[in-house]
């Protein structure tokens, strides 16, 4: 029997507006309200609301047999609160079924884990606080931004009280080993690692609309047929997706909703498969081995490294300049500027500066608003410069 | 494979990018084993002839009684009978005779030589016609497989050569009348000549997809006859020395100060940047008909102390200018290709170029903006000056990118085009 874990990420950031250098120290509206509202509502309409409704229906029908987990970045929660509060309500209803787990995450879909412990912990704690406020939950498993993970990040999370971390089944780390087993951090063996079977995920995320599945599109039957090929003694199948896969990357007319509905129904009816959520792992199994990740891994590209966000000099410079302000952040009394500094840590801003695939139209660049990586960099740096000035000022004192 | 090529200018004496492109292209063809005989109206003798043969049209003797007259529907050739008498002298011929003293037509016996200026002066149209006469004469004597004509000035020459020899004609569009004059100031005669050349040609090469689209949409040339052949740049062996006499950052515009090049947007951009950061100097290098307006505008904005004019630059002065520059800006309104950003990048200067340029199609390490968007241009300049990671990236990758744009590769594609038209005819 396989335990199957479906996990969905939501990590929509606050997108920046065009902020020119002559705006620095003149005004402090960094965010594109129209774009943010438009995208939040579009996604709510196409993906979040209908997909939540679908899950609710499945849970109502199959009870304990269908379970999923979510990680929702704090910035996305704020986006929903601001522009489409019905999404929050819809998630509350899902959580109330007790079949849905919310895992820990970063507060602003932040890359802080690639910088240092204090910045990362700040993000983790703020997210815990927000989850408690909004959904009244206290997470025990963790899914980092872009499932970035390393031994060190694992240790930090263990110290913060987490038992399970979701990350990539990166081939260059695993070698001959299979992601379908339970692993643990080599230094903190209590910290369990659930590894994503990325080929199976990519079959849906990247290849759902391809027609070379025996000459037709992908169906739940064909997908389960592939799952069946996994050896019977492999206990786990971990499938993590961007939630936007359902309805946005693949729009409703491609049949993605029907696919998931059929997939979940057939798995629920099949005795060979059992839905679980990450927190259930804790009491279930002893890990089969350690997994040693000396350098950060993520679910990006074939390399499963962090080059998508920190691959070129622009990204590194922006990243260094951003986290240089950590002390200023700690000392600052300007709440708005502090919040903005956190928002700038979002991986998306760095993704827009990527020159890794110049002509590549990857799924991840779907929401890119900049004409080139350079303009993304300049815009980010303009905003960062103003945030820095704002962190240095104390609005209350002024008044 | 031998090609008879008609151009209007060739380095070192050039007025714009056409000569530079011809130089690179002919050298690239030579590397690919194509023999080039390059005809130009007025050679000075100091052209680089190491790889190609230059034919000076001013040295060619033509017999006006044989000159082909191009009319609608074909040519009429005056056939010589063994007589000293010329039955008529038409009005044109009459004026030719009248003008021969000040226009430099030299007659010896039946033959005459035209002294071309090779410039873009008042008697341009006359030179274009005479160039065609000379071309016909050359085509009679030279051995070649294909004819290649660069820009409208040489199209009549190309067509004349084609009619005399029956060899296929390739025309090359470096700029169209739409680029030079804008949508509403089209010179009908030039447009007519351009279209005539393109229609008569067996194949039309455009220097960018942008230009190709114009050729198809505005000149109504069948799309399958038009191919894009991007320009490249001749590698520079000497490294440009970074040498600066002022501590301020320098932002440079280099090009003709004409409507097409968008110098006024450069001035407005300068104002935006200077308002925020006075430690920048703007240099406008070039000359042209918009100069008075630009100078007035600079004075009006009160930025004269930070905005400098150098006049027209050439040769080593250009290298020196690049050596001083921190950012190069090309805000062209319509630029079929635009070779100068490549020269800037080769000299390690980051570039901001308008999206309305052909060169934007081949560059990754450049910031591309709409020419009219002075906010975006100013922001790009400010970013390059203030966020060193960006200029460093451009400098390290930009040169590499430009060095990979080789004329050999362009010429290889061109050779394929030649082969195709030769085999077809």
């Amino acid at each position: 029997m396989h335990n199957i874990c479906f996990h969905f990420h939501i990590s929509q950031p606050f997108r920046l507006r065009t902020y020119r250098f002559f705006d620095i120290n003149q005004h402090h509206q960094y965010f594109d309200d129209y774009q943010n509202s438009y995208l939040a509502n579009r996604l709510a309409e196409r993906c979040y609301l209908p997909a939540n409704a679908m899950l609710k229906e499945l849970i109502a029908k199959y009870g304990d047999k269908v379970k999923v987990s979510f990680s929702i970045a704090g910035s996305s929660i704020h986006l929903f609160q601001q522009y489409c509060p019905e999404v929050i309500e819809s998630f509350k209803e899902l959580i109330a079924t007790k079949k849905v787990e919310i895992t820990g995450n970063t507060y602003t879909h932040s890359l802080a884990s690639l910088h240092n412990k204090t910045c990362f912990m700040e993000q983790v704690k703020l997210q815990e606080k927000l989850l408690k406020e909004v959904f009244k939950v206290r997470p025990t498993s963790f899914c980092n931004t872009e499932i970035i993970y390393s031994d060190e990040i694992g240790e930090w999370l263990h110290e913060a009280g987490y038992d399970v971390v979701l990350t990539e089944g990166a081939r260059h780390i695993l070698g001959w080993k299979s992601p379908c087993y339970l692993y643990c951090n080599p230094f903190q063996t209590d910290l369990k690692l659930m590894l994503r079977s990325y080929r199976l995920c990519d079959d849906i995320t990247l290849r759902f609309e391809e027609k070379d599945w025996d000459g037709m599109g992908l169906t739940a039957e064909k997908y389960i047929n592939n799952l069946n090929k996994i050896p019977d003694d492999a206990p786990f199948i971990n499938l993590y997706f961007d939630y936007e896969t359902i309805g946005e990357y693949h729009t409703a007319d491609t049949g993605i909703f029907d696919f998931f509905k059929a997939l979940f129904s057939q798995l629920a009816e099949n005795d060979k498969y059992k839905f679980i959520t990450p927190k259930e792992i804790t009491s279930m199994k002893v890990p089969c081995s350690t997994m040693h990740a000396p350098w950060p891994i993520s679910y990006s590209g074939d390399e499963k490294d962090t080059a998508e966000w920190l691959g070129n000099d622009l990204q590194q410079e922006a990243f260094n300049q951003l986290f240089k302000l950590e002390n200023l952040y700690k000392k600052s009394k300007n709440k708005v500027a502090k919040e903005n500094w956190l928002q700038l840590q979002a991986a998306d801003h760095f993704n827009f500066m990527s020159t890794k695939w110049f002509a590549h139209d990857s799924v991840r660049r779907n929401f890119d608003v900049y004409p080139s990586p350079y303009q993304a960099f300049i815009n980010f740096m303009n905003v960062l410069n103003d945030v820095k000035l704002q962190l240095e000022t104390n609005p209350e004192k002024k008044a | 494979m031998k090609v008879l090529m008609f151009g209007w200018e060739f380095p070192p004496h050039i007025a714009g990018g056409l000569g530079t492109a011809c130089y690179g292209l002919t050298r690239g063809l030579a590397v690919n084993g194509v023999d080039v005989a390059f005809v130009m109206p007025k050679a000075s003798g100091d052209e680089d002839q190491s790889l190609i043969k230059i034919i000076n049209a001013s040295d060619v003797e033509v017999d006006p009684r044989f000159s082909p007259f191009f009319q609608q529907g074909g040519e009429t050739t005056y056939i010589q009978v063994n007589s000293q008498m010329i039955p008529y002298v038409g009005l044109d011929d009459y004026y030719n005779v009248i003008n021969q003293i000040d226009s430099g037509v030299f007659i010896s016996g039946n033959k005459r030589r035209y002294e071309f200026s090779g410039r873009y002066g008042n008697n341009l149209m006359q030179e274009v016609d005479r160039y065609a006469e000379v071309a016909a004469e050359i085509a009679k004597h030279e051995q070649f497989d294909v004819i290649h004509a660069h820009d409208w000035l040489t199209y009549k020459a190309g067509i004349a050569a084609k009619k005399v020899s029956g060899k296929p004609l390739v025309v090359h569009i470096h700029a169209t009348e739409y680029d030079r004059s804008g949508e509403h100031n089209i010179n009908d005669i030039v447009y007519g000549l351009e279209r005539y050349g393109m229609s008569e040609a067996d194949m039309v090469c455009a220097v960018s997809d942008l230009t190709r689209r114009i050729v198809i949409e505005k000149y109504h040339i069948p799309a399958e006859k038009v191919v894009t052949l991007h320009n490249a740049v001749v590698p520079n062996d000497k490294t440009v020395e970074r040498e600066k006499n002022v501590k301020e950052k320098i932002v440079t515009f280099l090009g003709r100060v004409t409507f097409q090049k968008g110098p006024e947007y450069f001035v407005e951009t300068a104002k935006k940047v200077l308002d925020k950061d006075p430690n920048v100097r703007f240099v406008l290098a070039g000359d042209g008909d918009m100069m008075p307006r630009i100078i007035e505008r600079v004075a009006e904005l009160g930025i004269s102390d930070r905005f400098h004019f150098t006049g027209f630059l050439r040769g080593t002065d250009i290298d020196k200018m690049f050596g001083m520059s921190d950012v190069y800006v090309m805000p062209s309104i319509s630029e079929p290709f635009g070779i100068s950003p490549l020269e800037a990048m080769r000299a390690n200067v980051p570039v901001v170029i308008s999206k309305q340029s052909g060169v934007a199609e081949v560059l990754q390490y450049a910031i591309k903006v709409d020419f009219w968007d002075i906010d975006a241009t100013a922001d790009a300049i400010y970013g390059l000056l203030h966020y060193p990671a960006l200029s460093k990236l451009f400098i390290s990758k930009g040169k590499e990118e430009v060095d990979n744009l080789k004329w050999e590769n362009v010429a290889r594609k061109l050779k394929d085009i030649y082969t195709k038209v030769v085999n077809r005819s």
Side-chain angles (χ1 to χ4, degrees):
Chain A
M1 191 192 65
H2 300 298
N3 295 298
I4 191 158
C5 173
F6 280 95
H7 180 84
F8 297 101
H9 321 275
I10 298 175
S11 59
Q12 293 300 319
F14 278 86
R15 282 171 185 77
L16 299 175
R17 65 189 285 271
T18 304
Y19 189 84
R20 304 290 189 204
F21 69 98
F22 40 78
D23 296 328
I24 297 174
N25 220 3
Q26 301 297 315
H27 73 81
H28 319 296
Q29 285 88 48
Y30 313 122
F31 302 108
D32 189 334
D33 293 341
Y34 171 77
Q35 185 80 353
N36 287 327
S37 157
Y38 165 74
L39 274 177
N41 279 299
R42 180 174 100 176
L43 291 170
E45 196 183 301
R46 288 187 179 185
C47 162
Y48 307 141
L49 293 174
N52 279 1
M54 175 187 79
L55 287 174
K56 235 171 83 185
E57 203 179 290
L58 284 164
I59 289 168
K61 187 169 174 196
Y62 292 102
D64 216 24
K65 285 190 163 169
V66 171
K67 293 174 193 170
V68 292
S69 64
F70 281 96
S71 53
I72 311 174
S75 43
S76 302
I77 295 177
H78 287 311
L79 267 180
F80 299 151
Q81 285 176 328
Q82 210 167 324
Y83 297 115
C84 41
E86 62 274 24
V87 175
I88 299 279
E89 293 311 311
S90 164
F91 273 109
K92 280 181 182 165
E93 287 168 25
L94 268 185
I95 293 164
T97 63
K98 301 213 189 301
K99 306 292 181 287
V100 172
E101 180 187 343
I102 302 288
T103 69
N105 192 355
T106 56
Y107 180 56
T108 61
H109 195 229
S110 161
L111 293 176
S113 58
L114 297 175
H115 178 62
N116 67 14
K117 186 177 169 183
T118 50
C119 285
F120 181 51
M121 279 307 133
E122 177 78 5
Q123 286 277 347
V124 173
K125 297 294 163 199
L126 284 170
Q127 175 72 356
E128 286 175 2
K129 196 168 152 240
L130 184 68
L131 288 178
K132 200 171 168 198
E133 270 170 31
V134 179
F135 297 124
K136 316 260 179 317
V137 294
R138 159 88 180 85
T140 54
S141 30
F142 195 87
C143 180
N144 195 12
T145 307
E146 313 283 354
I147 56 177
I148 290 169
Y149 172 82
S150 69
D151 292 343
E152 199 178 25
I153 295 169
E155 287 180 86
W156 298 339
L157 286 168
H158 181 257
E159 198 180 310
Y162 288 93
D163 305 320
V164 183
V165 173
L166 281 58
T167 185
E168 182 64 300
R171 198 169 25 186
H172 68 283
I173 297 282
L174 283 177
W176 57 270
K177 295 183 214 169
S178 157
C180 299
Y181 290 81
L182 192 62
Y183 294 85
C184 67
N185 183 295
F187 306 105
Q188 299 293 344
T189 47
D190 293 347
L191 186 82
K192 294 182 174 120
L193 303 176
M194 292 176 72
L195 306 184
R196 175 174 177 260
S197 293
Y198 65 84
R199 275 192 209 88
L200 288 168
C201 296
D202 292 348
D203 280 347
I204 297 176
T205 312
L206 304 178
R207 294 185 280 273
F208 178 69
E209 285 176 55
E210 281 177 16
K211 296 292 174 223
D212 51 359
W213 299 96
D214 303 335
M216 298 269 275
L218 180 63
T219 62
E221 288 77 12
K222 288 177 200 169
Y223 196 76
I224 291 173
N225 201 24
N226 277 346
L227 293 180
N228 286 337
K229 289 177 190 157
I230 294 170
D232 284 341
D233 57 350
F236 295 100
I237 301 170
N238 303 319
L239 304 170
Y240 314 154
F241 304 94
D242 287 340
Y243 205 23
E244 294 83 6
T245 307
I246 312 177
E248 173 69 28
Y249 300 163
H250 305 295
T251 46
D253 55 2
T254 64
I256 188 79
F257 284 95
D258 300 324
F259 170 80
F260 268 101
K261 210 181 280 177
L263 179 66
F264 279 28
S265 307
Q266 291 179 26
L267 287 173
E269 285 161 7
N270 191 332
D271 287 341
K272 224 179 134 190
Y273 296 96
K274 180 172 178 259
F275 281 79
I276 54 161
T277 65
K279 68 179 173 196
E280 293 172 52
I281 296 273
T282 328
S283 55
M284 277 175 73
K285 277 255 177 191
V286 183
C288 74
S289 167
T290 61
M291 187 188 84
H292 186 33
W295 291 285
I297 54 172
S298 79
Y299 74 161
S300 154
D302 277 340
E303 297 87 347
K304 309 293 178 197
D305 60 7
T306 56
E308 193 174 329
W309 308 282
L310 297 179
N312 69 25
D313 293 346
L314 301 183
Q315 294 167 315
Q316 303 231 345
E317 168 76 1
F319 184 82
N320 293 337
Q321 293 294 340
L322 172 68
F323 284 105
K324 234 188 223 172
L325 307 186
E326 186 188 354
N327 280 330
L328 210 53
Y329 168 83
K330 281 182 189 154
K331 275 185 271 174
S332 176
K333 299 238 166 23
N334 187 336
K335 272 189 194 150
V336 178
K338 288 178 81 162
E339 178 73 19
N340 288 336
W341 182 72
L342 295 168
Q343 297 294 350
L344 287 185
Q345 296 176 17
D348 309 72
H349 302 314
F350 295 88
N351 189 15
F352 296 150
M353 299 177 207
S354 172
T355 51
K356 193 172 162 191
W357 303 111
F358 254 127
H360 186 72
D361 249 349
S362 80
V363 174
R364 304 293 297 156
R365 292 285 277 266
N366 254 2
F367 304 109
D368 196 350
V369 291
Y370 298 100
S372 77
Y374 319 119
Q375 271 116 324
F377 170 76
I378 291 174
N379 206 48
F380 181 88
M381 292 301 286
N382 288 343
V383 172
L384 181 61
N385 273 316
D386 192 66
V387 167
K388 185 180 175 196
L389 292 173
Q390 287 303 298
L391 284 172
E392 284 161 354
T393 57
N394 185 344
E396 284 156 40
K397 247 184 202 168
K398 242 189 219 166
Chain B
M1 177 79 68
K2 201 167 171 214
V3 54
L4 180 65
M5 196 177 272
F6 293 96
W8 197 255
E9 54 174 45
F10 201 79
H13 303 284
I14 55 170
L18 176 60
T20 317
C22 288
Y23 177 70
L25 192 62
T26 51
R27 289 187 75 86
L29 283 171
V31 171
N32 280 286
V34 177
D35 286 333
V36 182
F38 189 85
V39 187
M40 60 190 292
K42 185 184 167 65
S44 312
D46 52 354
E47 288 85 9
D48 179 1
Q49 295 205 42
S50 57
L51 294 174
I52 63 161
K53 174 177 157 196
I54 298 254
I55 299 175
N56 185 358
S58 299
D59 290 343
V60 177
E61 289 195 328
V62 294
D63 190 330
R65 291 171 301 174
F66 281 109
S67 71
F69 285 77
F70 301 110
Q71 290 164 352
Q72 218 80 39
E75 87 185 58
T76 313
T77 310
Y78 284 76
I79 298 172
Q80 186 186 23
V81 289
N82 198 4
S83 158
Q84 295 295 317
M85 193 175 71
I86 299 174
Y88 314 115
V89 176
L91 197 58
D92 285 353
D93 288 335
Y94 173 73
Y95 278 112
N96 282 347
V97 174
I98 295 299
N99 290 338
Q100 68 178 261
I101 297 154
D102 46 24
S103 67
V105 183
F106 299 96
I107 305 177
S108 59
N110 290 331
K111 308 228 164 169
R112 53 173 74 176
R113 276 187 294 124
Y114 297 122
E115 186 67 22
F116 290 98
S117 72
R119 297 216 183 85
Y120 305 86
N122 291 332
N123 55 349
L124 191 57
M125 289 302 172
Q126 195 187 33
E127 293 212 342
V128 166
D129 286 343
R130 286 181 178 171
Y131 195 40
E133 278 184 49
V134 174
E137 188 67 27
I138 293 169
K140 271 187 222 161
H141 305 299
E142 288 284 325
Q143 289 299 315
F144 54 90
D145 306 302
V146 58
I147 308 156
H148 189 148
H150 293 280
D151 265 6
W152 68 273
L153 293 156
T154 71
Y155 290 169
K156 273 195 167 176
I159 295 165
K162 180 179 175 176
K163 298 210 162 171
V164 168
S165 67
K167 303 287 186 196
L169 169 67
V170 174
V171 299
H172 205 132
I173 320 291
H174 295 265
T176 66
E177 185 58 14
Y178 285 87
D179 304 305
R180 285 184 292 263
S181 307
E183 189 90 26
H184 305 293
N185 292 309
I186 298 294
N187 180 330
D188 290 340
I189 297 174
V190 174
Y191 175 87
L193 271 177
E194 286 180 328
R195 185 160 149 58
Y196 181 36
M198 296 174 199
S199 311
E200 292 293 312
D202 297 279
M203 195 62 107
V204 180
C205 297
V207 288
S208 60
D209 295 336
L210 189 81
T211 307
R212 182 171 181 268
R213 272 198 300 281
I214 294 176
V215 169
I216 294 166
E217 282 163 18
K218 308 277 187 192
Y219 293 84
H220 314 293
I221 303 299
E224 63 274 12
K225 208 172 110 174
V226 193
V227 290
T228 300
L229 201 65
H230 285 115
N231 282 342
V233 67
V234 180
N236 197 353
D237 305 330
K238 58 180 186 297
T239 47
V240 175
E241 304 243 343
R242 296 290 307 165
E243 195 187 329
K244 243 165 110 175
N245 307 320
V246 289
K247 61 178 189 303
E248 291 90 356
K249 302 276 187 175
I250 292 181
V251 180
T252 306
F253 170 103
L254 195 147
R256 279 180 289 116
V257 187
T258 57
F259 165 81
Q260 183 196 348
K261 302 288 176 180
E264 56 213 308
Y265 298 101
F266 183 65
V267 178
E268 301 301 328
T269 307
K271 172 72 177 158
K272 287 255 174 196
V273 176
L274 288 169
D275 280 348
K276 190 82 185 182
D277 179 5
N279 292 318
V280 186
R281 287 178 190 272
F282 287 82
V283 178
L284 187 137
D287 207 349
D289 58 10
M290 289 215 8
M291 206 61 179
R293 215 161 115 191
I294 297 295
I295 295 174
E296 267 172 37
R297 183 63 182 153
V298 168
E300 192 183 331
L301 292 170
I303 52 173
S304 310
D305 59 329
R306 286 278 180 274
F307 198 101
H308 310 279
F309 300 91
T310 67
F312 185 80
L313 296 183
R314 69 178 79 223
T316 50
D317 284 341
I318 292 178
D319 290 339
K320 220 185 244 171
M321 192 64 240
F322 283 142
M324 291 166 67
S325 303
D326 296 284
V327 176
Y328 176 81
V329 186
M330 187 183 76
S332 296
I333 291 168
S334 178
E335 188 73 69
F337 189 78
I339 226 161
S340 61
L342 301 182
E343 294 172 330
M345 287 167 77
R346 203 176 53 185
N348 291 328
V349 184
V351 299
V352 180
I353 56 178
S354 88
K355 281 183 197 167
Q356 289 70 25
S357 68
V359 71
E361 294 163 18
V362 296
L363 288 181
Q364 291 289 7
Y365 291 96
I367 300 185
K368 301 165 195 172
V369 291
D370 285 307
F371 70 86
W372 45 262
D373 195 346
I374 51 175
D375 284 359
T377 315
D379 208 34
I381 293 170
Y382 183 90
L384 282 166
L385 296 178
H386 287 259
Y387 308 132
L390 189 58
S391 47
K392 259 190 226 153
L393 179 84
F394 275 27
I395 289 168
S396 66
K397 301 278 187 177
K399 194 168 160 46
E400 190 183 308
E401 184 172 35
V402 173
D403 287 344
N404 281 325
L405 299 173
K406 292 196 172 80
W407 278 114
E408 285 106 283
N409 303 340
V410 180
R412 194 171 310 129
K413 271 167 91 179
L414 182 57
K415 193 182 172 183
D416 293 343
I417 294 169
Y418 287 162
T419 316
K420 217 162 110 191
V421 292
V422 169
N423 290 344
R424 210 194 288 155
S425 64

